[in-house]
Amino acid sequence: MIAYRLLTHEDSSAFCHKVTEALSKGWTLYGDPTYAYDAGKGVMMCAQAVTKDVPGDYDPEQKLGQL
């Protein structure tokens, strides 16, 4: 099965660390990162999709961050 996650965070080094951690755990970048302005918080937000080929079938109870 191919697992999919969308990583999001404010535009800061914390977002880069989040993506780097996922890559170090075997996740692969999927598409380009995106940016949007959150007017409520007054900050830019980042998003990056990642995928990972994992054994087994889809389980909606599975915590994707633990794969």
Side-chain angles (χ1 to χ4, degrees):
M1 151 184 111
I2 297 176
Y4 172 91
R5 293 174 64 195
L6 182 64
L7 306 174
T8 61
H9 202 278
E10 292 179 5
D11 186 12
S12 69
S13 64
F15 174 72
C16 296
H17 285 285
K18 189 182 241 188
V19 173
T20 301
E21 179 183 22
L23 295 173
S24 75
K25 293 181 177 181
W27 292 84
T28 302
L29 298 176
Y30 183 82
D32 294 327
T34 59
Y35 303 92
Y37 183 68
D38 182 336
K41 292 182 180 180
V43 298
M44 290 297 291
M45 298 296 293
C46 301
Q48 173 64 60
V50 292
T51 61
K52 184 176 185 180
D53 193 8
V54 295
D57 295 325
Y58 173 69
D59 176 4
E61 300 300 317
Q62 176 69 47
K63 301 280 187 198
L64 296 175
Q66 297 175 352
L67 293 176

